[in-house]
Amino acid sequence: MKKSIIKTMLFFIATVLLVSCDKQPDIDHQFTIAVIPDTQNMVDFMHQKQEGFPIDAAELFIEQMQFVADNTKSNGGEIEFVTSVGDVWQHLGIYLDDEHAARGFPAILFNPRLGIEKINKGINEFELLMARRGYNLLAYTGVPFGVAPGNHDYDTGYQYNPFPNDPDPRARIREANMVPNRHVGGYNTFNDVFGPDSRYFKGKDWYIDSFNGGVNSAQIFEAGGYKFLHFSFEMQAGDDVLSWAQNIIDAHPGIPTMMSTHDFLNPRGERMPSPVYDLASVDPLDHNSAEDIWNEWIKKNDQIFMILSGHQIGQAMRVDINDYGNNVFQILSDYQGRGMAANPPLDGSRITGLGDGWLRLMEFDTGLDVPIIKVRTYSTHYQRYANEFGDYAAWYRNLEQPNMSDKEFIEADHFEIELNDFKKRFGEPN
């Protein structure tokens, strides 16, 4: 009798264990990716009260990073991943990096009126310290993140022929329509802050690889029932970067993949560089155009479904079909020209670009039959979304999209994306 009872109890316990082991945990299908646009004008040491500026613009930057940190998953929010599209700080200090000097590139220091001594002091004693302070806020939360370098984040920026000795060549470029005329080089400054051995990434299991010392990096994170792969690319990345990234994809096949890079789309939704930063034309040995990167790498890899970028002031989205017949969403967001936070006159006179705390929040829902992304643009300074802000079009449209109506302008910063082939490519959330 006792043996029968014991057998029955053991059978019951085993059944409960099997059922509990077989039961899948609930999936939280909703999550957010925060996209930090160009922040250099907020971090600029010249845009602070100590230099005579009306406000301490760096407070806008810290306020923005604190908002992102406060809304990460570990702090009870929805943000599972953060990506920066570059231009973290403003100034470049070295006259010309050794590699380009050895190749005979001519150069002249940007901002010659400030002088190299003041620029170096501003970079090292303010801008880099402020950048670290902001990203420390993210690091404390444990949220996975990636940072792509912008042209302001390299060691050096310099003028290139046809106007190597013109201190302000922009007027002559407009007259002669001769481009490009600027270039960048040197990774040391960026890698000192965001390299693989930095406190942000060393020992993090989600930071899986880097290239060129950290200006290119790869991260993996899990959200919405999927594992995602993300790349942060240097500006107009060269063939060596594409080869490195292909090896990463080959080692992680079939998972949804995104790429953030500083320059990819212009505000008209074209894969074209800004006229004065066409790195691929100046230095084709080290750089590819956005169109080259699309043709040679993105459209050949079906698991890449999204590209994020900044650099060119404004916003845009385009969708192209890859070689497998599936969608690739390419999205620009750059708000660095917005400067109403410094209280300028509202009569159309020139304002100083800051950013006004605007950033992108991409809210995924993978639990629907057709997953969606709600793209929201939010100001951490004004604490409003684009579609809630009464002065939004009046303040910013003429600068960024003068050919849009007010309604079109707001909808360009507040819209939904249907991922209609996502589950066909990547399966159901698991």
Side-chain angles (χ1 to χ4, degrees), residues 351-424:
I351 63 173
T352 299
L354 297 174
D356 288 356
W358 293 96
L359 79 162
R360 277 278 172 87
L361 299 171
M362 307 187 71
E363 303 169 355
F364 285 67
D365 189 341
T366 61
L368 305 173
D369 290 340
V370 177
I372 63 170
I373 306 173
K374 295 179 180 180
V375 179
R376 304 292 183 248
T377 304
Y378 182 78
S379 171
T380 55
H381 176 67
Y382 293 111
Q383 299 181 23
R384 295 287 187 278
Y385 290 94
N387 67 335
E388 298 175 334
F389 195 72
D391 292 318
Y392 195 72
W395 281 9
Y396 302 129
R397 181 181 63 81
N398 286 341
L399 169 70
E400 295 172 359
Q401 299 288 1
N403 294 322
M404 287 185 178
S405 67
D406 288 358
K407 181 174 183 292
E408 289 171 335
F409 182 68
I410 293 171
E411 290 175 348
D413 269 328
H414 192 94
F415 59 95
E416 290 189 5
I417 297 172
E418 291 189 352
L419 302 174
N420 51 23
D421 55 25
F422 192 85
K423 292 188 174 181
K424 180 189 74 172

Side-chain angles (χ1 to χ4, degrees), residues 50-81:
Q50 64 185 12
E51 294 293 334
F53 199 69
I55 65 170
D56 282 322
E59 292 180 0
L60 301 176
F61 170 69
I62 297 302
E63 189 177 60
Q64 186 176 82
M65 300 300 281
Q66 185 67 64
F67 170 86
V68 175
D70 289 345
N71 286 278
T72 56
K73 197 74 170 181
S74 63
N75 281 331
E78 292 290 324
I79 296 175
E80 294 270 25
F81 186 76

